[in-house]
Amino acid sequence: MKNYKLNIPKYSLGFEVIGQWILYFTSIIVVYFLPSIIKYPYFLILLFITFISKKDYWWIAFFIIIFANIGGLFSQTSIAEGVYQRLPLYKFGPIRLPLYDMFLSLLLLKSIRYGKVRTFYNDLLSLIIIYILLLFMFSFVLGMDDNSLEAGLRFLIRASLFYSIPRIISTKDKIIKIHKLLFNGLIMVIISVIYTLITGYEIGNKFLNIYKSVYEFGEYRFLDSPYLIFLSFIFLSYWLISNENIGIKKSILAILMVLSYILIILSATRGWFISFTIMMLIILFMNLNKKGSIKNSIMVVLICFLLLFSLYTNFQNIFNNIFNRLKSIELLAKGDITAGGTLSRINVRGPAMLKKVKENPLIGFGFSKEYYIYADNHVGWIMQLLQMGIIGTLLIIYLFIRIVTHIRKIVKITNNSSYYVFIIGLIGLIIIHSTSTAIFSFTYLGAAGPIYELLVLMLTTIDVLTKEDSYLINKMEKSKI
């Protein structure tokens, strides 16, 4: 049973990948070069096709990539006065619905048609949902104005992903296909960042005639679609380590994984850099006994970057800037918790929020107006305590424990150690939550949409892959009896 082999078909998505690129560029033309009278019905038609289509995975991947805001494209709000080239905001009387909320609502309606799906975290998720609803009702007692009520309702719409995605993407075939289509999105991010590195401008800003070069600022930071990068990094790592063939060469998977890591380095974001570095080192250690796919890919990527470094002065300035920013991590290691005064969240913003937490430490301030006054999305754990209190935080920690114990159990059954990648991913998310931005919170603040997409796709992937593998193993064992 240690070296079991299953007849897995190759998953070819050539036509669907090409179709994704065609529709993506068509959407760029519609949003940036055609009048709004075309844009509004265009996206309504796409939503209708999504609802009736049997290729759910394709449309979910497409819209995730659209909403990832790659290169500043497809902004959901106006980024400059008078600019209307953004994703549509639909008005139904007094109700204003962004395209993103309409897409999530559509998925929720569509998922109702599917049968119930039993996941390894079902009971715990139900408990968390009950707690969220109690917090919501308690928030009315604490006081909610129109803004906090709207923010709470928008959070619930985003949280609906935890109901809809597991029902819609419930087979291994769909999981593999959506992963491969998301890798397509990663390639778009890579192209976008290369364009910005060379020209100094985001593609979206170029289309909007906003001439603001990143090189005009003192710090060069190239942060583009980080949650899509994280998701791709974890899935690439899994399929790289796995013995299964999904129709992509291991060398290609390795190159894309390494490029994901380089994209995070270019962001010069310390928490993300620490997270990805730790994950990368663990994954490299896990692959020491593998063939040279990762090592060869690292060499190819490094050679390309060294050539760019030697040819372009801008690249030298970029890496000097990144090095100087990341060097502040050394100050943290030496005991300076503010990293030379650059981390006010630790000695100023965090303690200020902690004072408020002490007023109601057990259940926090929920979705009330008071919560939104004091919340700071860059102080993960304290903001979590501020909103959901000790009880809610312990529920989230118990979910972590449930994930780890489930994966360890499945690895013991299947001897498929590649599942450990998802534990590594969880460690990476906890590091980001602890150092950079809140990941595990019930909030509308920050990049809540991409964060919930990341979390639910990771959970769904773990559930579907482990469920199918353990089922096949049990079936094989019974056939031997």
Side-chain angles (χ1 to χ4, degrees):
M1 295 302 296
K2 287 186 177 181
N3 296 308
Y4 74 97
K5 291 184 179 179
L6 304 170
N7 294 320
I8 306 292
K10 290 186 178 181
Y11 297 87
S12 178
L13 282 174
F15 179 76
E16 294 185 353
V17 166
I18 294 170
Q20 193 178 55
W21 281 92
I22 292 172
L23 192 59
Y24 188 80
F25 284 110
T26 301
S27 300
I28 289 174
I29 293 168
V30 168
V31 171
Y32 292 95
F33 300 102
L34 297 179
S36 291
I37 196 170
I38 295 174
K39 175 178 67 176
Y40 280 80
Y42 169 79
F43 281 103
L44 284 177
I45 290 168
L46 292 188
L47 288 178
F48 176 73
I49 296 171
T50 302
F51 188 74
I52 64 173
S53 175
K54 292 183 179 180
K55 293 185 180 291
D56 311 290
Y57 60 88
W58 194 94
W59 288 100
I60 290 172
F62 171 76
F63 274 106
I64 286 175
I65 291 169
I66 285 283
F67 295 126
N69 197 213
I70 298 170
L73 291 167
F74 302 114
S75 174
Q76 296 190 53
T77 55
S78 296
I79 58 175
E81 189 176 350
V83 171
Y84 66 88
Q85 291 101 329
R86 58 180 174 84
L87 291 176
L89 178 69
Y90 295 90
K91 296 180 182 179
F92 303 93
I95 301 172
R96 293 157 55 91
L97 280 179
L99 179 65
Y100 188 70
D101 288 8
M102 292 180 68
F103 171 67
L104 297 187
S105 302
L106 178 144
L107 287 185
L108 181 60
L109 284 173
K110 186 168 186 175
S111 67
I112 294 172
R113 300 186 310 188
Y114 289 78
K116 289 184 178 180
V117 174
R118 182 74 186 173
T119 65
F120 72 90
Y121 55 88
N122 252 28
D123 55 341
L124 183 53
L125 187 63
S126 299
L127 187 60
I128 292 172
I129 290 170
I130 292 170
Y131 187 71
I132 289 171
L133 294 175
L134 290 173
L135 274 181
F136 205 87
M137 289 187 287
F138 179 63
S139 300
F140 283 100
V141 177
L142 292 174
M144 295 179 78
D145 59 10
D146 290 343
N147 290 331
S148 59
L149 177 60
E150 182 183 351
L153 292 173
R154 291 199 185 283
F155 155 74
L156 292 176
I157 293 173
R158 280 147 182 74
S160 68
L161 282 168
F162 289 91
Y163 177 88
S164 58
I165 294 294
R167 283 174 169 249
I168 297 172
I169 310 297
S170 58
T171 66
K172 189 171 185 177
D173 179 65
K174 287 184 178 181
I175 286 289
I176 292 173
K177 286 178 178 177
I178 199 170
H179 285 190
K180 293 175 75 171
L181 290 166
L182 290 175
F183 299 158
N184 202 34
L186 176 65
I187 293 170
M188 295 178 188
V189 178
I190 293 167
I191 293 170
S192 167
V193 171
I194 290 172
Y195 177 87
T196 306
L197 286 169
I198 294 172
T199 67
Y201 301 99
E202 283 194 329
I203 297 173
N205 286 359
K206 259 306 192 189
F207 286 155
L208 295 171
N209 295 319
I210 300 172
Y211 297 104
K212 205 171 193 180
S213 172
V214 294
Y215 297 122
E216 294 176 18
F217 300 94
E219 288 187 343
Y220 309 143
R221 300 181 66 186
F222 303 87
L223 186 62
D224 196 341
S225 312
Y227 300 101
L228 178 58
I229 294 170
F230 190 102
L231 203 56
S232 300
F233 180 85
I234 294 302
F235 294 157
L236 286 163
S237 302
Y238 174 79
W239 296 116
L240 180 63
I241 297 172
S242 173
N243 291 324
E244 188 169 334
N245 181 3
I246 60 167
I248 303 177
K249 290 182 179 179
K250 297 288 186 182
S251 58
I252 300 296
L253 294 172
I255 288 172
L256 288 175
M257 188 188 77
V258 175
L259 286 173
S260 301
Y261 178 57
I262 290 173
L263 288 173
I264 294 301
I265 294 175
L266 290 171
S267 76
T269 307
R270 287 163 292 198
W272 285 76
F273 171 75
I274 294 169
S275 171
F276 269 69
T277 299
I278 290 173
M279 289 192 297
M280 191 73 171
L281 289 172
I282 298 172
I283 290 165
L284 285 172
F285 180 78
M286 289 177 67
N287 278 271
L288 287 178
N289 61 339
K290 300 268 183 181
K291 292 181 180 179
S293 57
I294 292 186
K295 288 180 281 187
N296 294 339
S297 302
I298 291 173
M299 290 304 297
V300 169
V301 174
L302 285 178
I303 289 169
C304 291
F305 267 81
L306 286 172
L307 286 171
L308 288 171
F309 185 81
S310 62
L311 292 173
Y312 294 98
T313 305
N314 272 346
F315 277 73
Q316 296 173 26
N317 295 333
I318 289 166
F319 281 100
N320 287 336
N321 174 79
I322 291 168
F323 177 76
N324 290 332
R325 181 170 172 79
L326 295 179
K327 197 167 71 169
S328 60
I329 296 172
E330 183 183 342
L331 297 173
L332 279 171
K334 289 180 178 179
D336 181 0
I337 62 170
T338 68
T342 62
L343 287 178
S344 62
R345 71 187 68 173
I346 294 177
N347 66 327
V348 179
R349 289 144 64 186
M353 198 158 46
L354 197 57
K355 287 181 182 178
K356 190 65 182 175
V357 170
K358 291 177 181 177
E359 293 180 18
N360 194 16
L362 200 60
I363 59 173
F365 291 86
F367 303 91
S368 66
K369 179 182 176 182
E370 210 160 356
Y371 161 71
Y372 285 103
I373 291 172
Y374 288 90
D376 187 334
N377 206 48
H378 294 287
V379 193
W381 290 107
I382 301 177
M383 192 183 88
Q384 198 170 338
L385 287 167
L386 178 71
Q387 184 185 37
M388 62 185 77
I390 295 170
I391 294 174
T393 304
L394 288 176
L395 283 174
I396 298 299
I397 292 171
Y398 184 54
L399 178 60
F400 300 161
I401 296 169
R402 176 71 65 86
I403 293 168
V404 172
T405 53
H406 175 75
I407 289 173
R408 289 184 64 189
K409 177 184 174 182
I410 296 299
V411 170
K412 189 175 180 181
I413 294 171
T414 64
N415 202 42
N416 184 359
S417 60
S418 54
Y419 286 128
Y420 284 134
V421 165
F422 297 112
I423 295 179
I424 296 168
L426 179 60
I427 293 169
L429 288 174
I430 291 171
I431 292 170
I432 292 170
H433 183 70
S434 306
T435 60
S436 186
T437 189
I439 301 291
F440 311 106
S441 57
F442 309 148
T443 183
Y444 176 61
L445 296 174
I451 288 171
Y452 296 148
E453 291 164 10
L454 188 161
L455 294 174
V456 74
L457 281 172
M458 272 188 63
L459 277 172
T460 304
T461 297
I462 294 168
D463 182 68
V464 172
L465 294 183
T466 55
K467 189 183 293 177
E468 293 212 10
D469 264 11
S470 59
Y471 169 77
L472 289 168
I473 289 295
N474 291 332
K475 190 175 180 181
M476 290 169 66
E477 286 178 336
K478 286 178 182 178
S479 67
K480 289 184 177 182
I481 297 173

